Amino acid sequence: MEPSALVYDTAAAAEIWRRVAPAIPAYGAGVCPAGATCPLPRRETDGEAALGSLIADGAALYAACRRCAARSPHGARRVLEQLAREQQRTVRSLLAAYFLLTGRWRQPPVPAAGLQEPWLTALRRVFLAESVLQRDCAALAEQLENGCLRQLLAAEAERAAARGKSLAALLENSLTTANNLLKW
C-alpha cells in the first residue's frame, strides 16, 4: 500500500478560512477591479523558495519512511512508523512557517513512487534524506532575519538530527542482528 503524501488538508483549511475571515479571499487570491477573482502577482524570494524546497523534501521523506516501514521487519516497523509521524509533524510545521513567512499556503507535491529496493537500502536512503533535511533546515535558519522563524527552523533541524540518530541506531541494530556480525 502506497502511503499518502498529503499532509495538508486543503478542503478543511478552506472551510476554516471561510469561518474565520469570510471577507478575506483564501490562499492569496485577490479581487480584480472587474470583480473576478485572480491570483495576485508576486515573486517568491530565495528564502521562500528554500522553505518550499524543504517542504517538498520533507513530504518525500515522509513517504519514503512510510514505504520503508511497510517493508521492514516487525521490530523496526514500529520505530519507522514513529519516525514517519514525526516527519509528518515536521512537514506541517514547515507549512505553517511558510504561511507565516509569505501569507500564502503551499501544498506539498505528491512524491514519486518509491523504488522497489531491499528495506535496508531504503533505510539508508531515508537516513541520508534526513541528514540533508537537517542540514538544509539549519542553513535556512541562519539566513532568515525573522527570529521566530529562525528558532522554529533551528528546532526542526535539531529534531531531524535526533531522527537521524534513531535511524542510524536502527540501521546498526538491523545490520548486526540480521547478519550476526557480532558473533565472536
Side-chain angles (χ1 to χ4, degrees), residues 10-152:
T10 55
E15 180 60 33
I16 291 170
W17 191 286
R18 281 191 291 275
R19 280 188 276 147
V20 173
I24 301 173
Y27 306 134
V31 178
C32 294
T37 301
C38 63
L40 296 174
R42 186 176 180 282
R43 286 185 45 115
E44 195 171 53
T45 66
D46 290 341
E48 293 168 2
L51 189 54
S53 176
L54 282 175
I55 291 168
D57 292 347
L61 181 56
Y62 165 70
C65 202
R66 294 284 310 266
R67 280 192 300 271
C68 189
R71 291 194 308 262
S72 67
H74 181 68
R77 184 172 298 135
R78 282 182 272 120
V79 174
L80 286 169
E81 287 172 348
Q82 176 63 30
L83 289 172
R85 284 190 294 274
E86 290 175 15
Q87 185 59 40
Q88 186 180 34
R89 281 192 291 270
T90 295
V91 174
R92 287 180 175 161
S93 177
L94 292 173
L95 285 167
Y98 187 86
F99 183 81
L100 290 172
L101 185 63
T102 65
R104 293 175 292 146
W105 72 283
R106 184 178 187 106
Q107 176 69 38
V110 176
L115 304 172
Q116 292 297 330
E117 56 192 0
W119 87 272
L120 287 173
T121 305
L123 184 60
R124 179 180 181 272
R125 186 179 306 277
V126 168
F127 172 77
L128 293 173
E130 191 72 64
S131 63
V132 168
L133 183 72
Q134 184 270 335
R135 180 198 65 205
D136 292 347
C137 277
L140 184 58
E142 291 176 5
Q143 293 175 4
L144 289 178
E145 294 177 11
N146 185 317
C148 294
L149 292 178
R150 188 176 333 120
Q151 287 179 354
L152 185 142

